[in-house]
Amino acid sequence: MKKKLQVFISSTYIDLFEERQSAVQAVLDAGHIPAGMELFKAGNRTQLETIYKWINDSDVYMLILGGRYGSIEEDSQKSYTHLEYEYAISIGKPIFAVVLNDSFLNAKTEILDEKRVFEVDNKEKYNDFKSVVMSRIIRIANDPKDIMLAIHTTLNDFLEEYDLVGWVRGDSTEVSISLLTQTNDLNLRIQSLEEQNRLLKEELNKFKISFDESLAFEGHEILIEGSYEERQGNRPGAYSYKKRAIQKNISWDYMFLLWSPRLLSTLNSTKAQEELGRALKDYMGRYFSINDNQFNIIKIQYHALGLIKVYEARSTSGGTAEFISLTSKGKNYLVQKSAIKKQ
């Protein structure tokens, strides 16, 4: 009676999603039973113990090695894939590995970002692990078909070479395989949706605006202090002007929303200071001038919040001058707070 082997499939996840799918399908097509991370998520000691139990209960351990080292387990500082491989060797489990060659990996960079295909953070650990894997019997894959071929060939060899326990289901075998195939399809669909959800969250986070809570902004006020000149006298030709002080509280976020539309085009600091006074004219009740010290405080605060960029550059006159412009964060905040929503 033909035995059905349980094959534990080990690999990194996001970068090798399609390759895992090919491996799982090949195991099913060969009439065997796949097992792997589709059934659990890595992340703590209990889950690592669960992984080891699945390896114990499996007949064969299979590794798919791409260009990534994988998630790091905190205690050992090794990747989960590395730990799985070492454990399978330590208990004498029949092992085979499929290693994706460089042309295979380079082709994947046309679809995925290069950092999601090749290791960046733990390159030395990856190279050490790969050296260990390459020192044993492996199959090199140029494409997904090579992975599927390696599985069919190797499992047949293992059935002849090892006295494996395997599974025998009698008359219910075909039904079990059918259910496993359906379960696998559903698991792959769930993983695909989870990946889409993760990518959507990343896109949404790009538009999510947050600020350093230690910095005054929304709901916090500043006392605007400035001055204006008041005309004295009524006789023509006999006017005089007297400087008057003016002050009023305003919240940091409201002042930014009044000023920022005038910074959509880059301005030098002198012009930006004048435009701040004009932006506050209706709020203060008249035209006025902000003193230089307070303007510097305002400028530094919005720069610290990441809403404006303050920098020196060459001016049209040939010298250098200080310029102010909105950052992407500043523009996004202006749009989110000022755009008119549907009623």
Side-chain angles (χ1 to χ4, degrees):
M1 187 175 292
K2 184 179 179 181
K3 293 179 180 178
K4 297 190 177 296
L5 305 179
Q6 180 167 302
V7 182
F8 185 92
I9 302 170
S10 176
S11 75
T12 49
Y13 180 54
I14 295 176
D15 56 315
L16 297 179
F17 179 82
E18 292 183 357
E19 289 73 20
R20 287 185 65 83
Q21 184 176 355
S22 296
V24 169
Q25 192 59 53
V27 172
L28 290 170
D29 288 346
H32 300 294
I33 304 168
M37 67 172 65
E38 288 80 7
L39 302 171
F40 44 80
K41 294 181 181 293
N44 60 44
R45 187 73 181 200
T46 301
Q47 288 161 343
L48 186 59
E49 291 171 353
T50 303
I51 292 172
Y52 288 163
K53 183 179 184 303
W54 275 96
I55 295 175
N56 286 334
D57 292 342
S58 296
D59 299 290
V60 176
Y61 172 93
M62 173 194 178
L63 170 68
I64 306 173
L65 183 62
R68 294 289 305 278
Y69 186 57
S71 302
I72 300 296
E73 193 273 326
E74 186 176 355
D75 292 340
S76 66
Q77 288 301 298
K78 293 181 179 181
S79 72
Y80 282 89
T81 307
H82 194 164
L83 290 171
E84 292 166 6
Y85 185 81
E86 288 184 337
Y87 182 74
I89 291 175
S90 71
I91 62 173
K93 190 69 62 177
I95 289 177
F96 75 101
V98 176
V99 179
L100 311 190
N101 66 11
D102 289 341
S103 62
F104 195 159
L105 295 174
N106 287 327
K108 288 176 66 65
T109 62
E110 297 177 4
I111 301 173
L112 299 174
D113 182 79
E114 187 171 341
K115 292 181 179 179
R116 295 176 65 185
V117 177
F118 292 102
E119 184 59 42
V120 176
D121 298 328
N122 297 287
K123 198 164 187 177
E124 185 175 347
K125 290 182 179 181
Y126 168 78
N127 289 333
D128 290 343
F129 177 45
K130 185 174 182 179
S131 296
V132 173
V133 173
M134 298 293 286
S135 68
R136 302 175 71 91
I137 297 174
I138 61 165
R139 299 290 184 95
I140 298 295
N142 297 303
D143 56 46
K145 291 181 181 178
D146 288 341
I147 298 174
M148 301 179 79
L149 179 61
I151 289 171
H152 281 276
T153 304
T154 305
L155 292 182
N156 284 334
D157 292 343
F158 278 6
L159 280 169
E160 296 179 4
E161 183 177 350
Y162 296 97
D163 183 18
L164 300 173
V165 176
W167 294 79
V168 177
R169 297 300 186 198
D171 294 338
S172 64
T173 298
E174 296 305 321
V175 175
S176 298
I177 294 299
S178 175
L179 289 173
L180 280 169
T181 302
Q182 293 177 43
T183 301
N184 175 63
D185 290 341
L186 288 172
N187 281 329
L188 292 173
R189 177 61 177 162
I190 290 170
Q191 293 160 30
S192 177
L193 291 172
E194 286 178 344
E195 175 66 2
Q196 291 176 38
N197 185 50
R198 186 188 67 80
L199 293 174
L200 285 172
K201 284 181 177 178
E202 286 183 0
E203 289 299 315
L204 288 173
N205 284 335
K206 292 179 182 178
F207 297 97
K208 185 178 180 180
I209 302 173
S210 59
F211 298 98
D212 186 338
E213 292 183 358
S214 67
L215 298 175
F217 188 50
E218 292 179 326
H220 296 87
E221 294 188 339
I222 177 177
L223 179 64
I224 296 295
E225 298 177 296
S227 62
Y228 64 95
E229 292 186 340
E230 184 177 70
R231 192 173 71 176
Q232 304 288 314
N234 295 317
R235 288 188 302 162
Y239 301 134
S240 63
Y241 291 88
K242 186 174 183 179
K243 196 169 188 178
R244 300 284 190 184
I246 185 173
Q247 62 180 31
K248 190 174 182 180
N249 284 315
I250 187 173
S251 68
W252 282 99
D253 51 314
Y254 185 50
M255 180 166 61
F256 179 76
L257 293 176
L258 292 176
W259 187 33
S260 54
R262 298 167 183 264
L263 297 177
L264 288 170
S265 297
T266 301
L267 301 176
N268 63 49
S269 285
T270 301
K271 182 66 174 175
Q273 184 172 347
E274 293 173 357
E275 289 299 327
L276 177 57
R278 292 190 179 97
L280 294 175
K281 178 251 180 183
D282 289 339
Y283 183 81
M284 300 294 288
R286 64 177 308 120
Y287 285 112
F288 75 107
S289 298
I290 298 176
N291 68 60
D292 292 342
N293 287 337
Q294 184 164 60
F295 179 69
N296 285 331
I297 292 172
I298 293 170
K299 180 176 61 178
I300 291 169
Q301 185 72 4
Y302 288 140
H303 178 70
L305 288 162
L307 295 169
I308 65 171
K309 179 182 178 182
V310 181
Y311 62 97
E312 284 193 357
R314 188 171 297 278
S315 65
T316 55
S317 61
T320 58
E322 185 179 81
F323 291 88
I324 297 176
S325 63
L326 289 180
T327 61
S328 296
K329 184 177 182 179
K331 291 177 182 177
N332 287 339
Y333 187 82
L334 171 62
V335 170
Q336 286 188 19
K337 296 297 182 179
S338 302
I340 298 173
K341 311 295 192 301
K342 289 182 178 180
Q343 297 298 321

